[in-house]
Structures are given as C-alpha cells and as structure tokens.
Amino acid sequence: MSVEPQTASEKGADGPAAPSSRRATAAALRGLGLLVALGALILIALAGVWVGTRDIPFTATWSVLWRPDGSEAAVIIHDYRIPRTVLGLLVGMALGMSGALMQALTRNPLADPGLLGVSLGASTGVVVAIAFLGMGTVLGYVWFAFAGAAIASVVVYLLGSSGRTLATPDRLVVAGAAVTAVLYAFNSAVLLLDPRAFDQFRFWTVGALAGRNLDVVYVILPFVGVGVLIALGLAPSLNALAMGDQVGRALGVDVGRTRALGAFAVMLLCGAATAAAGPIGFVGLAVPHVARFMVGSDQRWVLAYSMLLAPILLIGADVLGRVIGAPGEVQVGIITAFLGAPLFLALCRRRKLVML
C-alpha cells in the first residue's frame, strides 16, 4: 500500500511554521491587550478629571476641559483635577516600572521599589527638610526627597558591590535592608524629638496626589522620562539575566552595566514618585505580577504593561478615595493598600510567584 508524499504546505502545518504562527498570534494578542490598557487609562484619566468632591456635570467638565472660561468649574478642573491626574499618571508609571525592574534585577518576586532604600531615602530627605530647614510645602521639599532617594540608592549599590565583587541580587537586598534600617531609626528619632516636624511629615508619608500642582509635575517629568527610557532599553538584557548571570554573560550581556543602569533607573523612577506623592505601597509590588499573569515573563511586555496598568490602579484609587470620602476624601496611599493587598493575595493563591 503506497502512501502519498506530503506537500510542502502540509509539512509546514506541523513544522517550524507552526511555532512562528503561534508566536505571531501571541504577540498580536499582547499588542491588542496593550491598546485596551491604553484605552482604559484614557477613560480612567477622564474620570479623574470629572469626579471630585465638587459635583460638576460631565458635559460642563468636557466643555471647560478644552475651553476654559474662567468659571469656578474651570478653575477646579484646570488648577486641581488635571494636575493631580497628570501626577497620578507619572507616579503610577514610575512605581509600576520600578517595581518590575526591581523584581527582574533581584530575581525576587516579592521585591518592591523600596527594596534598595529609595523610599526611606526620600523620606529622610523630607524629614531633614522639615525638621532642620523649615520647609513647609511639597514643592519646597520635593528636591530634598529626591536627593535623599539618590544618596540612599548610591550607598546601597556601593555596599552591594564593595570589593572586587559585582553587585549581586543577594548583596543588593542585604545592603538595602541595612540602609533602610538605619534611615528608619534616624527618621524615628528626629520625628519623636520634634512634634512639629512629625505633625507635618505624617501628611506626606501617607501618600497623596492632592495638593500638588503642575510645578511638581514639571519637576519630576524629566526624571520619570529618563527612567522609563532606560528601563525599556534594558528589557532584552533583563530577559537574558533571568536565566542566571552566567547564561547572561554567554549571551553577551554586561551584567555589571545592566545592574548599575537598572539600579539608576529605579532610583530615578521610585525617587521621583516618592518625592512627589509620598510613599505609596503595593502598586510597584502587585502590578508587575498582574502584568506577568497577562503576558508571561518577557520583560519587554511586562515593563510595557506595568507602565499602563499601574497608573490605571493609582488614578482609579484616587477617584475611589474621592467618592467614598465625600465631602472629604481618603488619601490614595490608603486606598492602594486596601486594593493592592487583596489583589496580591489573590495572585499568590492563583499561581506560584515565579520570575521565569
């Protein structure tokens, strides 16, 4: 009994063309998901401009959004709601991408942007500005917060790479924990001895977007922009390092350079976000896991999705805080903790937290 030979097209159905077709389909679905996330971000940003403690109809909001007429509604929208929404966009992007970077650099699924002492460094800068220099406004101490974050990051990296040894994930984590403990003790001592500084600092440390204007946005915008570009540029190298330092070197990755640039990007992103809005928890920890759940472990997609999903969560939490706290509001740092913790626990129960 003779068997007819397979044609070239029949061979390709189960041959090398099949994996390529599946990869193309997966990439198309991921790209479509990215567009959906972008659309959701635009909608939630519009909600951030529309919803507030002062009830303004959507038609009036839309009208004065494009044609400010000097009315009370126009002042509320342009001077208060737009700046905090834009700030939420930048801070969310920074926290999401810095969290994804930290988890990739340390190969630790429980790493968050504050692991390198960045958040505590920013807090220390604010404590010094308030307690010793008498700063009383966000714009006044935002530079001190960023300087504190930068100094803490540099110290952690130097401690993690002391001697002839390159900075490894374990050494960075240990150095970050040590620096964080020292800064926490310093902050606590200063604030306990200065009730006035403590009273002012507690409003910053809860994490908030309210009370910030566009001047703060202009301050952090260059740092967030540079941090985002560095993070996206490091994505292929991070994919190689996920398989280990030796494999990464075999694939041509400069491990020391990648870690140094990654730590610098985390410092820029997390430092800018913390300086502008205070320490906001769970966004940088939970969002990268949501991104990996949706698109897998490819850092190019994880970083891109984190860049959009994190501001969706942050601006959405800010809007929710205004709704449930009306006629006042609940600060966004409190809302993200309530939203992020159950989300993270659900992800833990649904799947193992792995980096590969």
Side-chain angles (χ1 to χ4, degrees):
M1 180 176 176
S2 62
V3 179
E4 293 183 2
Q6 287 182 308
T7 64
S9 60
E10 290 172 334
K11 291 179 181 179
D14 295 320
S20 298
S21 176
R22 285 195 294 269
R23 285 195 296 268
T25 302
L29 290 175
R30 289 168 175 170
L32 179 61
L34 206 61
L35 291 177
V36 172
L38 178 60
L41 178 57
I42 293 173
L43 291 177
I44 201 69
L46 288 174
V49 175
W50 172 36
V51 178
T53 56
R54 176 69 180 271
D55 187 17
I56 302 175
F58 181 77
T59 53
T61 300
W62 185 260
S63 177
V64 299
L65 179 63
W66 306 109
R67 294 187 300 274
D69 53 12
S71 63
E72 184 181 5
V75 171
I76 291 173
I77 289 171
H78 285 272
D79 291 356
Y80 296 96
R81 294 185 185 175
I82 289 179
R84 73 188 292 174
T85 301
V86 175
L87 183 64
L89 173 66
L90 291 177
V91 170
M93 289 173 55
L95 291 176
M97 296 196 75
S98 60
L101 263 180
M102 278 302 308
Q103 292 170 13
L105 286 171
T106 62
R107 296 198 292 274
N108 179 1
L110 297 179
D112 71 345
L115 194 62
L116 292 183
V118 181
S119 295
L120 259 295
S123 298
T124 303
V126 174
V127 168
V128 170
I130 294 174
F132 300 111
L133 301 176
M135 295 290 180
T137 64
V138 175
L139 193 59
Y141 52 66
V142 64
W143 288 106
F144 290 90
F146 191 80
I151 293 171
S153 300
V154 171
V155 170
V156 168
Y157 191 81
L158 291 177
L159 290 175
S161 58
S162 59
R164 298 182 178 180
T165 308
L166 291 175
T168 63
D170 293 340
R171 290 168 67 93
L172 287 174
V173 170
V174 172
V179 171
T180 296
V182 172
L183 293 179
Y184 181 80
F186 172 81
N187 291 348
S188 299
V190 172
L191 294 174
L192 287 174
L193 294 173
D194 189 344
R196 181 195 60 82
F198 174 77
D199 189 58
Q200 187 173 340
F201 178 77
R202 64 190 178 93
F203 290 104
W204 178 84
T205 194
V206 73
L209 300 177
R212 277 67 167 170
N213 54 32
L214 286 177
D215 290 337
V216 177
V217 172
Y218 297 145
V219 168
I220 71 168
L221 180 59
F223 301 104
V224 174
V226 173
V228 166
L229 292 177
I230 293 175
L232 293 176
L234 288 176
S237 298
L238 294 175
N239 282 335
L241 287 184
M243 295 179 285
D245 289 0
Q246 291 184 345
V247 175
R249 290 190 184 93
L251 293 174
V253 175
D254 188 332
V255 176
R257 175 179 173 273
T258 299
R259 289 225 172 89
L261 284 175
F264 180 64
V266 170
M267 181 268 291
L268 291 175
L269 293 168
C270 185
T274 307
I280 297 177
F282 278 105
V283 176
L285 176 63
V287 167
H289 288 289
V290 177
R292 275 190 290 273
F293 178 75
M294 296 173 66
V295 298
S297 59
D298 189 335
Q299 293 300 323
R300 294 171 298 180
W301 291 104
V302 170
L303 287 168
Y305 269 74
S306 297
M307 183 173 61
L308 296 180
L309 295 177
I312 290 174
L313 173 60
L314 191 62
I315 298 174
D318 188 41
V319 172
L320 182 60
R322 298 182 227 172
V323 172
I324 65 176
E329 62 179 80
V330 180
Q331 302 297 344
V332 68
I334 299 172
I335 300 295
T336 55
F338 277 105
L339 294 178
L343 175 64
F344 187 65
L345 290 174
L347 286 171
C348 289
R349 291 177 60 87
R350 187 178 180 88
R351 58 178 291 181
K352 293 173 67 177
L353 297 181
V354 296
M355 298 304 299
L356 296 177

